[in-house]
Amino acid sequence: MEETISLKELFHTIRKRLWLIVLITAIFTTLSGLVSYFLITPIYQSQAQLLVNQEKADQTSYNTGDIQANIQLINTYNVIIKSRTILDIVSSELNNTHTSSQLTNMITVGSVQNSQVLTITVENPDPVMAANIANTTALVFQEQVVNIMNVDNVNILTPAQVGENPSPIKPQPVLNMAIAFVVGMMVGVGLAFLLEFLDNTVKTEQDIEKLLGLPVIGTITLIEEKDIQEAQKIARKVARTRGETVGS
């Protein structure tokens, strides 16, 4: 019985402060949409792919050992690509529009699972610049790895390209608004229960029963001034009607 009462009280609290929950949820969702669409700078992504092979002058086929050795080389190449030796040259090729430190934050190097393909991913507010940085980094690395590692085993597999209508990878306004909607609803419900918990005023007979532990025998109805005036008008009409009846 107590669980049923608690459940009723829970729904009663939500219904009583539903306006607050809806208001907070709407504010969170609206603010998230405004920030996502108008305040956050869109970021575009571009990728260039490199193929890593061991240099073989006397054969055209590769065995499993050769491929594993190439995969191990990729870990070394990941570090080399983001080194100042490479990025300083990339910065110079881009007319110093970005410093090597800035390029480090824009560039991510990774490899496709258990493959010899190395991916250079660049994030930039300008989709064309993102593609230029990715392609320039790939070309510079391909040229410099010959001097650094004394090998010539890197080929550009897929250069970065800019589509006709590039779309940013972030922010994602719809996702952000959905998250804000859920968070706003949780905050609204939490605040509604907090206000209900802090509200110790007596408003109903149920509150009196809980506070005193005694049953309510009766209640006094609150009569508004307009109701009193309406009742007085009716009483005067009844009195006049009775007077006319007695006189006749």
Side-chain angles (χ1 to χ4, degrees):
M1 185 64 180
E2 291 181 358
E3 293 181 357
T4 304
I5 295 175
S6 299
L7 189 60
K8 287 182 179 179
E9 291 177 350
L10 186 139
F11 283 109
H12 175 71
T13 300
I14 293 177
R15 186 176 62 180
K16 184 171 70 172
R17 302 189 185 275
L18 183 61
W19 65 271
L20 179 64
I21 298 173
V22 173
L23 178 62
I24 294 177
T25 302
I27 290 174
F28 272 61
T29 305
T30 303
L31 288 177
S32 175
L34 291 175
V35 171
S36 299
Y37 280 108
F38 300 107
L39 296 182
I40 298 179
T41 303
I43 301 297
Y44 297 86
Q45 186 182 84
S46 190
Q47 292 183 338
Q49 291 184 326
L50 303 174
L51 180 62
V52 178
N53 289 316
Q54 283 190 335
E55 186 177 14
K56 294 289 183 178
D58 55 347
Q59 64 183 63
T60 58
S61 61
Y62 299 93
N63 56 38
T64 304
D66 294 333
I67 296 175
Q68 290 299 323
N70 293 336
I71 293 175
Q72 292 176 2
L73 276 176
I74 289 177
N75 295 327
T76 303
Y77 289 166
N78 289 347
V79 178
I80 295 175
I81 290 175
K82 297 193 68 173
S83 67
R84 291 198 61 179
T85 302
I86 300 297
L87 295 185
D88 283 343
I89 301 175
V90 173
S91 177
S92 178
E93 292 289 331
L94 296 172
N95 298 320
N96 295 317
T97 55
H98 298 86
T99 65
S100 57
S101 298
Q102 291 173 332
L103 292 174
T104 300
N105 296 327
M106 297 178 189
I107 298 174
T108 302
V109 183
S111 58
V112 181
Q113 292 182 348
N114 298 324
S115 71
Q116 299 171 249
V117 178
L118 194 65
T119 302
I120 299 175
T121 304
V122 178
E123 295 182 1
N124 193 276
D126 184 357
V128 177
M129 179 57 70
N132 288 340
I133 294 174
N135 289 329
T136 302
T137 304
L139 288 171
V140 170
F141 174 70
Q142 183 184 27
E143 296 172 355
Q144 295 299 316
V145 74
V146 178
N147 301 323
I148 297 173
M149 299 288 292
N150 197 27
V151 291
D152 185 9
N153 63 345
V154 175
N155 296 309
I156 297 178
L157 181 63
T158 305
Q161 296 180 349
V162 181
E164 293 182 1
N165 296 306
S167 58
I169 60 167
K170 56 185 179 182
Q172 298 178 341
V174 176
L175 178 60
N176 292 344
M177 292 175 67
I179 295 174
F181 177 85
V182 175
V183 173
M185 185 175 294
M186 294 173 61
V187 172
V189 172
L191 184 58
F193 282 106
L194 177 62
L195 293 176
E196 187 70 18
F197 176 76
L198 296 177
D199 186 5
N200 55 5
T201 58
V202 177
K203 295 184 177 66
T204 63
E205 58 268 21
Q206 289 80 9
D207 295 336
I208 297 176
E209 290 180 349
K210 290 180 181 179
L211 183 62
L212 301 178
L214 298 173
V216 177
I217 298 176
T219 60
I220 300 175
T221 303
L222 179 63
I223 302 177
E224 297 183 0
E225 183 67 25
K226 63 178 182 179
D227 295 330
I228 296 175
Q229 294 176 358
E230 188 68 25
Q232 289 175 346
K233 291 179 181 179
I234 294 174
R236 285 194 292 268
K237 289 181 180 179
V238 171
R240 285 197 298 268
T241 303
R242 288 181 179 179
E244 291 174 358
T245 304
V246 172
S248 63

